Amino acid sequence: MSLEDGIFEQRAARVKEIEALGFKPYGKRFDYTHTIPEILAAYGDKTAEELVPPPPAPEAVRVRIAARIQTVRRMGKAAFMHVQQNGAKLQFYIKKDAISEQDYALFNLLDIGDIIGADGYLFRTRTGELSLHVEKLEFLSKILLPMPEKFHGLEDVETRYRQRYLDLISNPESRDVFVTRAKVISSIRRQLEERGFIEVETPMMQTVYGGAAARPFVTHHNTLDVDLYLRIAPELYLKRLIVGGLERVYEINRNFRNEGVSTRHNPEFTMVEFYQAYTDYKGLMDFTEEMLRQIALDSTGGAVVPYGDLQLDFGNVRRLTMREAVVEFWEGDGRPTLDDVRNPEWLLANTHKATPGEALGHLFEVHAEKKLQQPTIIYEFPIEVSPLANNSPDDPAMVDRFEIFVAGMEIGNAYTELNNPMEQRRRFDSQLQMRDRGDDEAHQMDEDYLRAMSFGMPPTGGEGLGIDRLVMLMSNRQSIRDVILFPLLRPEGEIGMADRLRRLDA
RNA sequence: GGGCGCGUAGCUCAACUGGCAGAGCAACUGACUCUUAAUCAGUAGGUUGUAGGUUCGAUUCCUACCGCGCUCACCA
């Protein structure tokens, strides 16, 4: 028998002993008076005398707490434990004299990782630590498996992703990441709501997919007997809503793209997309700068955010055209001039791409993208890589579009929406040609979208922000998997837990 | 998909050039009524990711596979 099995069976036996003592080892309501963070906030700076006035102490602070046991230091007939709740920890002091015989028997059956409730009063130990003097114990849930090591926590990356619950229990900094994530999302929501945007939900299963250049996942609906695509973007549906007169809409949810995984890509990822009628991409640039700065403030407390070796300044966003960026960040010999990168022949001669616009986009990715460390807006994109954006009034090769780059990552994409159905039809047709040339990420024809646009779509600005990447920046994480609770992994194979539990019943 | 690296007790890690697979934490027994990575004495715990191969002998060398990480490619 392995050690782990031994602990498992021994603890299962303890469940019965705990029951025999009159406690319910699982599933009992427990109305606590304070969470541990609340206790630390309210009493963290109180002195020993303030907590327990001398001598007999009728006015001591009595509280009732639920928490998970983190460490235990037993010393004969007394013990100290650290327990944690909501990412904060508190010390419990348990003395045989101070609790009932039944509770002391329970205490002797407790394991690190058990969830317990306690009544008692707050005091300071001889060394000055705020602690709970336990007077009554309650049992709330049993741990059967051994906890990770208390000092190092759970380090194994794979286990941290697969068993995120363990990661969250044993690594406070991992918990902090997801708290930051929640702050980023609520900051975005609040800012959009304040500006009159309403939140909507559009289909994630679509018969025609679009709104981005990507390959989709395919699934199947049985009774309708149709294949459906998991959406690669909500864009085309949100713009249908703009046609319908929902003039400021946003959606925060998942997109699915059937591509490789990396430190910056997970096949399902979260975006916020928002659309505002009667504005354009310049209006969105101003809004975006404000929003990024506010997200940084709301989630980290400052506009300057540490990221690896960098200090990212979200209070100061640079703006460059794509052509300027290619010229400025050109690597190696033969740096082009602005006239070169405007010249279709030069562009085609310097890449293997089929069109000047794809060529410019490629040169930008190769030379400039990873050098954009501080928050930077890149604007004026080639028409060929922007099938849904409106033409620039003064340059037929370009569209009114920008992207935001931080730490070499694209975190946002916005443009003045194309609202002319005749031009949109031509763009779809040229996407179909790219598809015929073997580009399986080019857009499909979406006739209902053309129909919607034919009812008249107001001039509109639209934008998408990658939430996961934003959270990476705000929480100083280098891998997208660190900011997604359950990132996609290959299946792990036999776990054997059901069998183990089955044996306990036998 | 290519390249590089990693996989040893529940967890965190050792094991020299191929020569008895070890420690700390966790667990168990005992001592201890203000400890804090508690301490002290003792006990138990291993298919070294899997399957082959080389060898008198493999955690160590070789091959394949599985899983994870980094990186390049692909990709917003």
Side-chain angles (χ1 to χ4, degrees):
Chain A
M1 179 168 58
S2 79
L3 176 73
E4 200 192 21
D5 281 333
I7 290 174
F8 189 73
E9 287 179 21
Q10 172 192 106
R11 291 182 178 178
R14 277 186 191 162
V15 168
K16 296 199 172 114
E17 291 183 64
I18 288 166
E19 257 171 328
L21 283 174
F23 295 95
K24 284 192 174 153
Y26 295 106
K28 184 172 175 183
R29 168 172 172 169
F30 187 80
D31 294 318
Y32 54 78
T33 59
H34 299 69
T35 64
I36 289 179
E38 283 166 357
I39 284 177
L40 297 183
Y43 305 106
D45 53 2
K46 293 279 188 285
T47 65
E49 292 72 28
E50 287 169 321
L51 290 168
V52 186
E59 323 87 82
V61 183
R62 297 207 128 67
V63 296
R64 177 161 237 248
I65 301 171
R68 188 188 286 274
I69 300 171
Q70 221 175 7
T71 59
V72 182
R73 294 176 292 283
R74 295 173 195 268
M75 290 165 306
K77 299 182 178 64
F80 289 91
M81 303 193 275
H82 273 112
V83 301
Q84 61 164 337
Q85 182 192 29
N86 293 343
K89 66 177 181 174
L90 182 69
Q91 182 167 258
F92 281 10
Y93 177 52
I94 293 184
K95 199 161 64 154
K96 189 173 185 213
D97 303 344
I99 58 176
S100 72
E101 229 170 85
Q102 182 197 19
D103 285 0
Y104 191 68
L106 172 65
F107 168 72
N108 282 321
L109 292 169
L110 292 182
D111 289 299
I112 289 170
D114 282 348
I115 298 172
I116 57 170
D119 285 273
Y121 61 89
L122 296 174
F123 76 113
R124 284 198 182 273
T125 61
R126 196 171 289 161
T127 52
E129 180 167 350
L130 181 67
S131 305
L132 180 77
H133 192 112
V134 175
E135 297 175 308
K136 195 165 175 304
L137 270 183
E138 189 54 79
F139 195 79
L140 300 176
S141 191
K142 188 71 198 162
I143 186 170
L144 296 177
L145 293 168
M147 284 279 281
E149 203 228 16
K150 64 182 172 191
F151 191 57
H152 298 91
L154 183 62
E155 302 272 336
D156 184 77
V157 177
E158 184 179 352
T159 310
R160 287 183 37 225
Y161 296 156
R162 288 196 195 277
Q163 296 173 251
R164 185 66 87 180
Y165 40 88
L166 263 192
D167 182 35
L168 291 169
I169 291 169
S170 38
N171 299 325
E173 60 285 1
S174 178
R175 179 196 175 88
D176 293 343
V177 167
F178 295 100
V179 171
T180 298
R181 183 178 177 115
K183 285 180 182 165
V184 167
I185 291 173
S186 79
S187 172
I188 291 170
R189 231 180 217 124
R190 185 178 50 72
Q191 293 187 64
L192 287 166
E193 305 269 333
E194 276 171 0
R195 289 170 173 82
F197 286 82
I198 64 167
E199 182 167 10
V200 297
E201 291 136 286
T202 62
M204 295 211 189
M205 296 195 292
Q206 304 177 345
T207 52
V208 177
Y209 64 92
R215 283 179 292 171
F217 289 94
V218 189
T219 187
H220 186 79
H221 186 280
N222 288 340
T223 52
L224 294 184
D225 191 25
V226 287
D227 281 339
L228 293 166
Y229 303 101
L230 300 190
R231 73 174 182 199
I232 58 173
E235 170 153 353
L236 301 185
Y237 281 94
L238 292 172
K239 285 193 282 196
R240 284 171 169 92
L241 299 179
I242 295 286
V243 170
L246 299 180
E247 291 184 355
R248 295 187 179 199
V249 292
Y250 74 98
E251 179 164 7
I252 298 180
N253 221 316
R254 232 64 66 76
N255 295 321
F256 307 88
R257 298 187 185 175
N258 208 334
E259 59 196 32
V261 297
S262 78
T263 47
R264 287 175 298 282
H265 300 82
N266 195 61
E268 60 175 311
F269 65 100
T270 302
M271 291 250 292
V272 56
E273 283 202 14
F274 54 97
Y275 291 82
Q276 177 178 341
Y278 309 112
T279 190
D280 66 3
Y281 81 124
K282 294 272 189 190
L284 290 175
M285 276 189 206
D286 299 336
F287 179 23
T288 302
E289 288 189 8
E290 231 177 291
M291 183 151 65
L292 286 178
R293 187 174 155 276
Q294 192 60 47
I295 291 169
L297 288 172
D298 289 343
S299 62
T300 73
V304 178
V305 176
Y307 190 73
D309 299 331
L310 302 166
Q311 296 289 325
L312 302 173
D313 185 358
F314 287 95
N316 180 15
V317 179
R318 195 177 173 203
R319 298 183 184 189
L320 283 174
T321 67
M322 182 178 278
R323 285 167 173 150
E324 288 166 348
V326 170
V327 172
E328 174 167 340
F329 295 107
W330 187 267
E331 267 181 15
D333 297 336
R335 179 191 301 271
T337 63
L338 270 180
D339 284 332
D340 288 334
V341 293
R342 201 168 280 142
N343 177 352
E345 278 114 53
W346 185 91
L347 287 168
L348 290 174
N350 281 276
T351 66
H352 305 298
K353 296 291 178 179
T355 63
E358 289 170 275
L360 177 61
H362 179 72
L363 291 175
F364 170 76
E365 283 172 20
V366 170
H367 291 279
E369 186 164 340
K370 57 171 138 340
K371 293 183 195 145
L372 302 175
Q373 300 292 325
Q374 287 298 325
T376 307
I377 282 177
I378 299 292
Y379 63 103
E380 284 181 8
F381 275 60
I383 192 165
E384 293 93 332
V385 298
S386 315
L388 303 164
N390 209 4
N391 308 64
S392 293
D394 40 336
D395 186 344
M398 305 302 269
V399 295
D400 284 345
R401 171 180 176 187
F402 71 87
E403 291 188 342
I404 311 125
F405 292 87
V406 188
M409 291 191 291
E410 180 210 335
I411 59 162
N413 179 19
Y415 35 88
T416 306
E417 302 297 338
L418 176 57
N419 65 342
N420 173 347
M422 289 168 289
E423 173 66 7
Q424 185 67 69
R425 192 278 304 163
R426 289 192 285 272
R427 301 281 190 90
F428 276 147
D429 275 342
S430 88
Q431 289 286 309
L432 292 179
Q433 281 169 22
M434 287 166 69
R435 189 166 270 272
D436 287 341
R437 287 203 304 266
D439 183 350
D440 55 3
E441 294 181 348
H443 263 75
Q444 298 180 300
M445 175 63 73
D446 188 335
E447 292 220 45
D448 178 70
Y449 182 65
L450 291 176
R451 177 167 62 185
M453 206 165 277
S454 299
F455 280 98
M457 174 173 151
T460 298
E463 176 163 343
L465 292 173
I467 302 272
D468 311 284
R469 290 179 178 179
L470 262 178
V471 175
M472 287 169 68
L473 299 173
M474 299 304 162
S475 60
N476 195 7
R477 297 284 139 171
Q478 316 297 317
S479 171
I480 201 168
R481 289 177 215 108
D482 288 334
V483 305
I484 292 175
L485 282 166
F486 298 99
L488 185 72
L489 297 176
R490 291 179 193 276
E492 70 176 311
E494 274 311 306
I495 298 173
M497 206 62 221
D499 261 346
R500 224 183 234 180
L501 288 162
R502 202 170 285 129
R503 279 198 298 277
L504 292 181
D505 276 340

